[in-house]
């Protein structure tokens, strides 16, 4: 691919499915202590292609948990950082439509690949995927209820007209024991094979944002 950001070779292949698995933190599971999240990013065969780790302070995790600012560093299997996801501290309320959630995705770190911007809606979770020039590319629309009791929760990836569904971000229900006694999350991202590689990287960032906004403190979430 011409001018492909270093480290994104995997995303440029015939890839239409990405699996994101949050690693179980033993200390967090036993003591209920909020720790920095760590994720494995895998292909459809379960092979790890990237490793992601959240960077923020204990203050942010304890007091601002679902809304906390963070930086997530995503490295390839050689340990080279290839994607950086940056989320500032912002609001999240259907009654307060200003200063809503957004994040920036960089690839390589220091170079903007795109943005995820929350859109105000009184009923549904809605987001816009933007390219590096802040031009709208795709929409993400979630369900009215995101509790996901005993079933997967799908956020549909749509064209800008919001009529055509081209993919989805799914929170997989992993069972009662996992949901109650551990803090593990499993997500799947399905996108068109020929989607721009930078936008695929932005979709990974969108998945992290959805995780923290809707599933961070839910028994049916993590």
């Amino acid at each position: 691919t011409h001018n492909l950001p270093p480290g994104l070779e995997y995303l440029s292949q015939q890839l239409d499915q990405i699996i994101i698995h949050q690693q179980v933190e033993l200390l967090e599971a036993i003591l209920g202590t909020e720790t920095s999240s760590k994720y494995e990013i895998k292909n459809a065969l379960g092979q790890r292609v990237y490793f992601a780790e959240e960077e923020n302070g204990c203050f942010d995790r304890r007091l601002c948990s679902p809304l906390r600012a963070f930086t997530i560093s995503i490295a390839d299997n050689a340990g080279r950082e290839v994607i950086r996801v940056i989320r500032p501290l912002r609001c999240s309320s259907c009654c307060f439509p200003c200063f809503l959630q957004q994040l920036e995705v960089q690839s390589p770190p220091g170079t903007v690949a795109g943005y995820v911007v929350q859109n105000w809606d009184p009923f549904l979770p809605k987001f816009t995927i933007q390219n590096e020039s802040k031009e709208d590319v795709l929409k993400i629309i979630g369900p009215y209820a995101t509790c996901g009791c005993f079933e997967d929760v799908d956020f549909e990836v749509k064209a800008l007209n919001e009529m055509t569904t081209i993919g989805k971000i799914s929170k997989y229900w992993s069972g009662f024991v996992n949901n109650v006694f551990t803090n593990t999350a499993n997500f799947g991202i399905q996108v068109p094979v020929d989607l721009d590689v930078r936008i695929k990287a932005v979709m990974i960032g969108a998945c992290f944002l959805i995780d923290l906004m809707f599933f961070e403190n839910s028994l049916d979430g993590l």
Side-chain angles (χ1 to χ4, degrees):
T1 303
H2 183 60
N3 293 329
L4 183 69
L8 293 192
E9 296 85 0
Y10 169 73
L11 296 182
S12 69
Q13 298 171 2
Q14 297 299 304
L15 175 74
D16 61 358
Q17 185 173 17
I18 303 167
I19 305 298
I20 298 181
H21 171 69
Q22 184 177 6
Q23 295 187 324
V24 176
E25 294 292 335
L26 184 61
L27 179 65
E28 189 171 351
I30 295 175
L31 302 179
T33 302
E34 188 74 26
T35 60
S36 294
S37 299
K38 298 178 177 65
Y39 304 85
E40 288 185 317
I41 300 175
K42 305 176 181 179
N43 60 21
L45 299 178
Q47 301 166 325
R48 191 179 90 175
V49 293
Y50 296 120
F51 178 80
E53 183 170 3
E54 178 186 357
E55 302 170 0
N56 57 22
C58 180
F59 176 85
D60 290 327
R61 293 192 299 272
R62 296 293 294 176
L63 298 182
C64 308
S65 186
L67 298 177
R68 64 183 182 261
F70 64 67
T71 297
I72 293 181
S73 176
I74 302 175
D76 60 18
N77 287 327
R80 175 181 55 173
E81 185 182 16
V82 296
I83 303 171
R84 185 176 296 164
V85 180
I86 301 172
R87 179 199 192 190
L89 183 63
R90 297 177 69 91
C91 298
S92 177
S93 172
C94 63
C95 299
F96 190 71
C98 301
F99 213 63
L100 295 179
Q101 292 295 303
Q102 68 178 35
L103 59 78
E104 176 182 298
V105 178
Q106 301 176 354
S107 185
T111 301
V112 175
Y115 302 88
V116 183
V117 179
Q118 182 184 11
N119 306 129
W120 182 83
D121 187 278
F123 304 111
L124 299 175
K126 288 189 176 184
F127 302 87
T128 298
I129 301 296
Q130 298 178 333
N131 63 18
E132 71 277 9
S133 301
K134 293 194 173 182
E135 298 168 335
D136 295 352
V137 177
L138 295 171
K139 295 285 187 177
I140 298 176
I141 301 178
Y144 176 75
T146 58
C147 62
C149 298
F150 310 110
E151 63 182 3
D152 297 346
V153 179
D154 293 332
F155 285 69
E156 294 186 334
V157 180
K158 293 181 174 288
L160 291 178
N161 61 13
E162 299 188 6
M163 300 297 293
T164 306
T165 300
I166 65 169
K168 62 182 177 179
I169 296 177
S170 300
K171 167 66 177 71
Y172 298 136
W173 184 72
S174 53
F176 177 80
V177 173
N178 269 350
N179 284 333
V180 176
F181 295 105
T182 69
N183 222 19
T184 182
N186 292 282
F187 283 86
I189 303 173
Q190 294 183 23
V191 292
V193 171
D194 59 353
L195 185 66
D196 184 276
V197 63
R198 294 169 182 82
I199 300 303
K200 288 182 181 179
V202 176
M203 293 297 297
I204 293 175
C207 186
F208 290 137
L209 181 60
I210 288 170
D211 178 17
L212 289 181
M213 287 184 64
F214 299 101
F215 305 105
E216 176 73 8
N217 294 320
S218 170
L219 290 180
D220 299 301
L222 300 176

